[in-house]
Amino acid sequence: MSDMSDYSEQQTVITSSSNQDIKRLRSLHERKYRKQTGWFLAEGLRICTEALQKGFAPQRLLDEDGRQTDPLIADLIIACKKAGGRVLPVTRSLLVKVSNKDNPQTVIGAYQQFSTNLSEIKTADVRCWVALDRIRDPGNLGTIIRTIDAVAADGVILIDDCTDPFSVESVRASMGAIFTLKVSHCTSEEFITFKREFKGSVIGTALQSSVDYRTADWRAPCIILMGNEQAGLPTKLRQACDQIIAMPMQGHSDSLNLAVATGISLYEFLRNQSD
Ligand code: SAM
């Protein structure tokens, strides 16, 4: 818990949207600036506090003026300063502007992005990863990240041109789970090369498969490979799979939503670990 003296020093409240720090933080809604700065935004006291518990201190912390005595906010302020970051007290209307939401949270943090190189993923350390081929929808990606965390799987591998896991929409949909797992980026060729060395199984998912997902070999270590929302898995990635499974479609729809299909696969993996 925080020592009050650490955050009692007065800071000028920022009120103008033309303030340089505010402009920079607002620009993090755009992928181009997230790439340039290597930062991303996470909103809300709960998410920022959980990030801190996982060892992530914000580089910048926007907090609503008047709320600094909240002990959790005070802890974030101390951690931000200790990490060499800056605390920026702002008015509520500026929080609205930075978050782009009418009803924003009381704190917004800007954090350093992180990534694991594919070559660092060693079979012996793997329980379960999810690999996503060209995922487009940030809501789907955030939901999948949240579900990977729910089953305590290792992380997500983003293959080829994917939506950004550090976008505000994806981080929101992940409910902060982005801070709890590893994120790796690669091309499909790199994934195929990696798979040659990987001693576990790669389980692909495709509507066309005649293998019911409940009959697959779900032993760890494994990588669950999911296809793009529109196109599904391309042949070259299917060929890298040890098994390809399908969830039966018994109604009128021809496919499940990608995040739902990933959730079903992850929970089938989990169920098989406890058998
Ligand atoms: N038109 C695409 C196709 O033919 O594959 C549909 C793609 S689906 C919306 C997106 C991804 O979710 C698929 O590539 C697959 O990984 C997974 N998926 C969705 N429904 C599935 C099912 N019933 N069985 C297996 N995978 C499924």
Side-chain angles (χ1 to χ4, degrees), residues 205-208 226-233 245-247 249 255-256 258 261:
T205 56
L207 307 173
Q208 298 79 3
M226 308 298 299
N228 164 269
E229 286 98 333
Q230 267 79 47
L233 279 180
I245 52 133
M247 291 110 209
M249 300 293 301
S255 68
L256 294 166
L258 169 60

Side-chain angles (χ1 to χ4, degrees), residues 41 50 54 68 76 86 99 108 152 162 191 206 211 214 239 255 265:
L41 294 176
E50 281 174 11
K54 292 280 167 196
Q68 290 85 351
L76 286 170
R86 292 221 314 275
S99 80
I108 300 176
C162 287
F191 183 79
V211 180
R214 289 163 290 197
Q239 286 169 345
S255 68
S265 304

Side-chain angles (χ1 to χ4, degrees), residues 29-175:
H29 282 269
E30 289 178 51
R31 191 169 194 166
K32 180 172 123 186
Y33 292 109
R34 286 196 300 276
K35 221 170 170 181
Q36 265 177 24
T37 57
W39 287 5
F40 70 103
L41 294 176
E43 304 165 310
L45 187 53
R46 194 176 71 82
I47 289 178
C48 293
T49 300
E50 281 174 11
L52 188 57
Q53 285 161 359
K54 292 280 167 196
F56 294 89
Q59 306 289 315
R60 297 286 180 274
L61 182 72
L62 280 190
D63 58 343
E64 188 179 349
D65 185 41
R67 300 292 298 263
Q68 290 85 351
T69 50
D70 178 319
L72 290 177
I73 296 182
D75 285 344
L76 286 170
I77 291 174
I78 291 166
C80 176
K81 287 183 178 173
K82 260 193 192 150
R86 292 221 314 275
V87 179
L88 309 165
V90 292
T91 55
R92 181 134 192 96
S93 65
L94 273 193
L95 271 180
V96 170
K97 286 215 165 82
V98 175
S99 80
N100 275 351
K101 266 171 93 183
D102 290 342
N103 197 8
Q105 305 276 347
T106 49
V107 297
I108 300 176
Y111 293 85
Q112 191 72 51
Q113 295 175 28
F114 46 89
S115 163
T116 299
N117 199 299
L118 203 57
S119 62
E120 294 170 51
I121 304 174
K122 304 289 179 211
T123 308
D125 305 325
V126 171
R127 183 166 170 263
C128 177
W129 282 73
V130 172
L132 300 169
D133 158 48
R134 296 164 298 154
I135 180 171
R136 305 305 310 164
D137 185 296
N140 273 347
L141 179 52
T143 305
I144 290 170
I145 287 173
R146 186 176 175 183
T147 315
I148 293 173
D149 172 65
V151 302
D154 302 297
V156 64
I157 299 170
L158 298 168
I159 303 175
D160 287 338
D161 188 18
C162 287
T163 190
D164 184 1
F166 297 108
S167 69
V168 171
E169 296 76 13
S170 177
V171 174
R172 262 182 206 155
S174 86
M175 298 291 289

Side-chain angles (χ1 to χ4, degrees), residues 203-222:
I203 307 178
T205 56
L207 307 173
Q208 298 79 3
S209 171
S210 54
V211 180
D212 187 302
Y213 74 107
R214 289 163 290 197
T215 65
D217 177 357
W218 288 99
R219 271 175 297 180
C222 75

